[in-house]
RNA sequence: AGGGCUGUCGCCAAGCGGUAAGGCACCAGACUUUGACUCUGGCAUUUCGUAGGUUCAAAUCCUGCCAGCCCUGCCA
């Protein structure tokens, strides 16, 4: 990554930079941040912002960032997710090394801290049922009331908590609660539950525990245990900060981590919620967590987005406290910009129509040399076969063309990219009137590279030699949903994927690797589908189309 | 007896009392063997959610109002 550019995050997120500098003074390199996902799903582009913000801040100041699996609720977690999360973060370009931690590794320390709180008279074992606790909590606008078990003796609390740990009670029978204040307007402070009983096998700690700490209790402790200086999280946790600070203070940690919140972002016409993504996967509405239409990192990767494009997007999109809804076109911009000079530019015809060059010798094949990327000469050239029968894009022909149509039409001359000027003379139709072939002639003089300068032509179109072309499938994507004013806020797009199964590409695609990206000239950027493409049956995903200022009438 | 946070161009976003950066999108033009790229120009001054106030001076400070988001899981 380029260093000049990489500092632009310091042009935004200034409220974070200010805190860091105030707290650390000259020693900003001591910063330690963390990204703490619960391993209960795949990372998506929204989570990537939290990944990026935490890792990037540490990177900017030369500090450290931990990946910590916040696995305090065993009923919804799975190792499949821990592996995908590690993989996705490294794919984004952040080195994890020995900085991978598990909240579940701290269960002993957390238990001891809870005992300490009980001993200080700051926590108690409560027998209220879930419904009662809800009732006692009060509402947004009315205060709560105190639990009748709030004033148990320290000795009794200690004995009961130990019994909870030893499995003497059933799920839900008892909880451990912090003793704070049932009358606070901030509901998080109304004697929050800090331990619950769950006789469930944990993916990491197995059956060692049947009590598990709640997020609000576990999180500040995890941060403190790891020496986190700045805990950068999304803004819905702002109301939890007083509780976070309460635990840090009550437990007398030497270094006090500080929580700073930033706003989440949304993308227009995109549902990012984990619940929704999971539902799409479970209902088989998509082809897994890595479906190219999904905004999971796995999906974006399979779609062909590069980590550089994502990082630039996250960088430029900024970090603030104001909720934002970013246009998808902003993401697309960074994808094109990244791919522009590093992709081989080749020709593929997605929706073919046959062209016969009537005055071109039967059986003749010319190998034309065409540059791989006009803006990057280092990418060299390749040889592309040209022959009597070609395919061009159906869209590139029009029978009754308006004057602003610079492509093929009867009587009009256009340039075939890297080849000759071609004039269309005749349209061949089948019985039902569908165009099945265009008969054209070429002008030998106009061969590309010959220096021909006799006349100019307005349009250049791409083509592929019929006998040499490789038949491919090209998949074109659109939004899974469109935003609307309905109650749920969106409706499904019935045509979010279009499979062009009769597409043809230059022979060179046979040598394509899974991590290659191509520009199919005038059609957009494509890459092989890592799941469905195989030799002999290539499947390409369109990463992003090219921009176009052409407006059909 | 509700609390917290946020409002600067269509979308992001700088701005921290001295007279509205930048990017995306869009529009116009130039160039072009991709209608791409690139380049040039345009794009918030009856203006910073709104109404008042303080000040020589306000997007920046104060007050009221309005709008949006979050909070009543033994989820994170």
């Amino acid at each position: 990554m380029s260093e000049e550019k990489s500092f632009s995050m310091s042009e935004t997120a200034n409220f974070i930079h200010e805190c860091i500098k105030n707290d650390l003074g000259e020693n900003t390199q001591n910063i330690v941040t963390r990204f703490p996902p619960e391993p209960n799903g795949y990372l998506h582009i929204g989570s990537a912002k939290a990944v990026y913000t935490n890792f990037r801040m540490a990177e900017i100041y030369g500090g450290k960032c931990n990946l910590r699996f916040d696995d305090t609720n065993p009923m919804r977690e799975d190792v499949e997710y821990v592996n995908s999360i590690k993989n996705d973060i490294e794919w984004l370009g952040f080195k994890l090394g020995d900085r991978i931690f598990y909240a579940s590794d701290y269960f002993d320390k957390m238990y001891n801290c809870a005992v300490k709180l009980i001993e200080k008279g700051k926590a108690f074992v409560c027998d209220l049922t879930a419904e009662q606790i809800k009732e006692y909590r009060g509402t947004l606008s009315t205060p709560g009331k105190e639990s009748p078990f709030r004033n148990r003796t320290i000795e009794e609390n200690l004995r009961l908590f130990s019994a909870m740990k030893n499995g003497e009670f059933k799920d839900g029978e008892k909880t451990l609660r912090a003793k704070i204040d049932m009358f606070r307007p901030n509901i998080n402070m109304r004697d929050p539950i800090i331990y619950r009983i769950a006789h469930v096998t944990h993916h990491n700690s197995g059956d060692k525990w049947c009590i598990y700490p709640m997020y609000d209790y576990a999180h500040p402790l995890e941060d403190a245990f790891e020496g986190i200086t700045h805990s950068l999280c999304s803004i819905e946790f702002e109301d939890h900060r007083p509780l976070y600070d309460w635990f840090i203070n009550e437990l007398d940690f030497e270094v006090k981590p500080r929580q700073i919140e930033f706003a989440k972002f949304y993308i227009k016409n995109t549902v990012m919620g984990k619940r929704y993504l999971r539902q799409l996967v479970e209902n088989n509405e998509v082809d897994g967590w890595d479906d190219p239409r999904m905004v999971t990192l796995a999906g974006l990767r399979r779609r062909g987005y590069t980590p550089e494009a994502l990082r630039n997007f996250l960088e430029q999109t900024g970090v603030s406290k104001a909720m934002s809804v970013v246009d998808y076109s902003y993401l697309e911009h960074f994808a094109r910009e990244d791919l522009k000079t590093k992709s081989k530019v080749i020709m593929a015809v997605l929706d073919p129509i046959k062209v016969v060059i009537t005055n071109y010798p039967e059986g003749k094949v010319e190998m034309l040399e065409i540059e791989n990327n006009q803006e990057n000469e280092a990418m060299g050239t390749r040889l592309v076969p040209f022959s009597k029968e070609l395919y061009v894009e159906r869209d590139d022909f029009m029978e009754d063309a308006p004057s602003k149509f610079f492509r093929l039409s009867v009587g009009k001359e256009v340039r075939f990219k890297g080849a000759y000027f071609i004039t269309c003379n005749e349209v061949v139709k089948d019985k039902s009137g569908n165009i099945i072939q265009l008969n054209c002639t070429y002008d030998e003089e106009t061969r590309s590279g010959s220096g021909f300068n006799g006349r100019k032509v307005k349009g250049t179109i791409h083509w592929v030699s019929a006998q040499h072309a490789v038949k491919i499938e090209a998949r074109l994507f659109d939004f899974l949903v469109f935003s609307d004013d309905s109650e749920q806020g969106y409706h499904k797009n019935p045509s979010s994927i279009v499979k062009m199964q009769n597409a043809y590409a230059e022979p060179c695609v046979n040598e394509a690797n899974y991590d290659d990206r191509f520009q199919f000239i005038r059609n957009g950027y494509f890459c092989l589908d890592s799941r469905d493409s195989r030799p002999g049956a290539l499947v390409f995903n369109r990463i992003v189309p090219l921009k176009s200022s052409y407006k059909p009438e």
Side-chain angles (χ1 to χ4, degrees), chain A residues 59-71:
Chain A
E59 200 172 72
I60 285 173
Y61 290 104
K64 292 175 164 49
C65 180
N66 295 351
L67 166 62
R68 179 175 66 232
F69 290 101
D70 210 356
D71 51 358

Side-chain angles (χ1 to χ4, degrees), chain A residues 69-70 79 137 163 265 297 364 380 398 441 446 455 458:
Chain A
F69 290 101
D70 210 356
V79 285
R137 187 157 37 226
F265 76 105
L297 294 183
K364 180 175 177 181
M398 200 178 242
T441 50
T446 59
R455 60 185 185 278
K458 194 79 171 157

Side-chain angles (χ1 to χ4, degrees), chain A residues 84-219:
Chain A
S84 77
I85 289 168
K86 285 185 204 165
N87 183 43
D88 286 345
I89 293 174
E90 296 206 304
W91 177 71
L92 269 181
F94 296 109
K95 297 243 180 332
L96 263 16
D98 59 357
R99 300 250 127 209
I100 301 175
F101 302 91
Y102 294 83
S104 50
D105 287 338
Y106 309 135
F107 283 167
D108 282 296
K109 290 167 87 169
M110 289 177 183
Y111 179 83
N112 294 337
C113 286
V115 169
K116 197 169 158 190
L117 284 178
I118 295 171
E119 286 168 345
K120 284 183 75 174
K122 298 289 188 174
F124 65 97
V125 172
C126 185
D127 297 2
L128 256 25
T129 64
E131 298 76 55
Q132 289 170 321
I133 285 187
K134 182 177 167 65
E135 183 199 327
Y136 276 66
R137 187 157 37 226
T139 71
L140 294 176
S141 54
T142 57
K145 56 183 180 187
E146 296 186 342
S147 164
F149 304 98
R150 200 172 196 264
N151 296 314
R152 291 219 248 233
T153 64
I154 289 172
E155 292 64 35
E156 190 182 8
N157 281 322
L158 252 13
R159 183 177 56 73
L160 256 14
F161 186 48
S162 175
M164 281 170 65
K165 178 197 179 191
N166 293 334
E168 292 173 29
F169 304 112
K170 295 193 290 285
D171 289 8
E173 208 174 319
K174 286 188 165 39
T175 57
L176 183 70
R177 296 228 256 161
K179 193 190 286 188
I180 306 180
D181 183 353
M182 291 307 290
F183 307 100
R184 291 282 182 93
N186 183 345
I187 292 177
N188 295 307
M189 300 300 272
R190 317 232 267 228
D191 291 3
I193 293 170
I194 63 182
Y195 267 93
R196 78 282 219 179
I197 299 170
H199 293 268
V200 179
T201 303
H202 187 282
H203 72 92
N204 184 34
S205 62
D207 292 319
K208 178 174 177 189
W209 296 89
C210 65
I211 58 171
Y212 292 95
M214 300 287 290
Y215 166 87
D216 278 317
Y217 169 72
H219 205 81

Side-chain angles (χ1 to χ4, degrees), chain A residues 134 237 338:
Chain A
K134 182 177 167 65
F237 293 108
D338 183 51

